[in-house]
Amino acid sequence: MSKVTLKGFILIPESELESVKRELVHHKRLTLEEPGCIMFSVTQNSENPLRFDVYEEFTDKVAFEQHQKRVKASHWGKVTVNVERHYEILE
């Protein structure tokens, strides 16, 4: 199986920025502990503080799908429900 890479960015509503930033620390830790996670980076853009650049690598499609499933059911999934996502997924 081949590696899955997700890259892009998210846009946070200004009124939710602080709660997203607080939960991001927990979300990063949990993701990096997942089986199959090779790389996970979410960084606040220096020019637009409401934009966070995202880069993820997983060993295969199964690991990536498990990550997506966990995220949807997590506190991060609830906190980021209003976040605008702009991703490209490469397999």
Side-chain angles (χ1 to χ4, degrees), residues 15-28:
S15 63
E16 299 175 17
L17 181 60
E18 289 309 311
S19 62
V20 168
K21 284 172 64 174
R22 275 192 306 273
E23 184 57 26
L24 180 58
V25 175
H26 187 236
H27 176 57
K28 282 182 181 180

Side-chain angles (χ1 to χ4, degrees), residues 41-58:
S41 173
V42 181
T43 54
Q44 192 170 21
N45 186 282
S46 60
E47 295 176 17
N48 178 355
L50 300 178
R51 175 184 164 139
F52 286 72
D53 298 310
V54 179
Y55 184 83
E56 305 176 5
E57 287 183 11
F58 288 86

Side-chain angles (χ1 to χ4, degrees), residues 71-84:
V71 167
K72 287 179 184 169
S74 72
H75 187 61
W76 173 256
K78 292 177 183 73
V79 169
T80 61
V81 71
N82 296 318
V83 166
E84 191 177 309

